[in-house]
Amino acid sequence: MTSSELWTRATADRYDAEETEMSSVAVLGPALAFLSELAGDGRALEFAIGTGRVGVPLQERGVPVVGIELSEHMAAVLRRKIDADTLPVAIGDMATTVVPGKFTLVYLVYNTITNLLTQDEQVECFRNAARHLEPGGRFVIELGVPPLRLLPPGQGAVPFDVSEQHLGFDTFDLVQQILVSHHFTRDGDDGRYRRGSSRHRYAWPAELDLMARIAGLELEHRVADWDGAPFTQDSAKHISVWRKPI
């Protein structure tokens, strides 16, 4: 097993309810169009498929999807939506788990590569993607750009959401490239807040490109969002596509 932290049953059961915006047509539509075009007539493999936020609707668009998921609890929520014959899911980590067959597309969305907490494990994730790809196939990652420009000297935390229902901020270990996301979420109307946190290893686009080269993949293109906006020094995230040579 990799160093990724496991999602609990309670977290898995409330995940979809807390991610309604990310499951909206406005957010999912461009992502599904982007991924289905790259998959073409082939199959797609989603690393860390979770509850199927992307994999299930991509399957419904006609792209055969297979998933890998570390948390059995997350996979159980997915299984309530779609049967195992239609969308198979292997329980295991995305750096080492192997499923049968080859794919035209392997993808990893919503910052999930940061769940691998060491550089070596992230490199193995790229290698695992390359292992599953057909020649000419693509590996896609959606990842935020580390927000270190927001850190003034001496400050170790950056807020990313401040509302009546949720307070979220990240703290940073700049030596190990580890950030911890802290969440205080309001439960009900009694004023109580639920506290949670998760660790992530952030990586820069150039570092990912080197990981891809180690795995034998070549950068094909990089954009700022699923709609294809140009990636610039001010972009908050990137969608990167690497290709396995023919």
Side-chain angles (χ1 to χ4, degrees), residues 113 119 122-131 133 138-141 203-222 240-245:
I113 194 171
Q119 185 183 69
Q122 292 179 354
V123 169
E124 289 306 312
C125 180
F126 273 84
R127 284 179 166 153
N128 201 29
R131 182 181 298 122
L133 284 173
R138 276 91 169 195
F139 182 35
V140 176
I141 286 181
W204 301 96
E207 184 181 5
L208 298 180
D209 290 343
L210 183 56
M211 294 180 187
R213 288 177 58 189
I214 291 171
L217 304 176
E218 302 170 346
L219 179 66
E220 186 170 72
H221 65 278
R222 173 172 290 126
S240 296
V241 181
W242 297 273
R243 186 171 179 267
K244 185 173 183 176

Side-chain angles (χ1 to χ4, degrees), residues 15-150:
Y15 180 83
D16 286 346
E18 294 183 345
E19 296 293 344
T20 54
E21 181 180 352
M22 294 301 297
S23 300
S24 66
V25 173
V27 173
L28 270 184
L32 297 174
F34 191 106
L35 294 171
S36 60
E37 181 178 356
L38 289 182
D41 296 327
R43 300 194 305 157
L45 172 61
E46 180 171 357
F47 285 173
I49 193 169
T51 65
R53 180 184 67 89
V54 175
V56 171
L58 187 61
Q59 173 80 35
E60 292 170 347
R61 290 174 71 107
V63 178
V65 176
V66 176
I68 293 175
E69 173 56 44
L70 183 60
S71 169
E72 293 186 28
H73 300 302
M74 296 289 276
V77 175
L78 178 148
R79 195 52 67 221
R80 300 170 196 164
K81 306 172 184 178
I82 194 167
D83 63 81
D85 290 335
T86 305
L87 200 165
V89 175
I91 301 299
D93 68 80
M94 56 187 159
T96 63
T97 302
V98 177
V99 298
K102 295 293 183 180
F103 300 83
T104 58
L105 173 67
V106 178
Y107 66 94
L108 182 55
V109 298
Y110 204 15
N111 304 321
T112 314
I113 194 171
T114 66
N115 291 351
L116 298 170
L117 299 178
T118 71
Q119 185 183 69
D120 286 344
E121 289 172 353
Q122 292 179 354
V123 169
E124 289 306 312
C125 180
F126 273 84
R127 284 179 166 153
N128 201 29
R131 182 181 298 122
H132 286 93
L133 284 173
E134 296 179 354
R138 276 91 169 195
F139 182 35
V140 176
I141 286 181
E142 175 190 24
L143 183 60
V145 177
L148 301 189
R149 294 171 65 185
L150 301 178

Side-chain angles (χ1 to χ4, degrees), residues 114 144-152 154-160 168-182 198-204:
T114 66
V145 177
L148 301 189
R149 294 171 65 185
L150 301 178
L151 277 177
Q155 181 172 312
V158 173
F160 58 83
F169 61 93
D170 293 330
T171 55
F172 294 85
D173 179 338
L174 302 181
V175 175
Q176 300 297 324
Q177 288 184 214
I178 296 291
L179 70 82
V180 180
S181 286
H182 304 266
S198 58
R199 294 186 300 155
H200 306 269
R201 182 186 186 273
Y202 63 84
W204 301 96

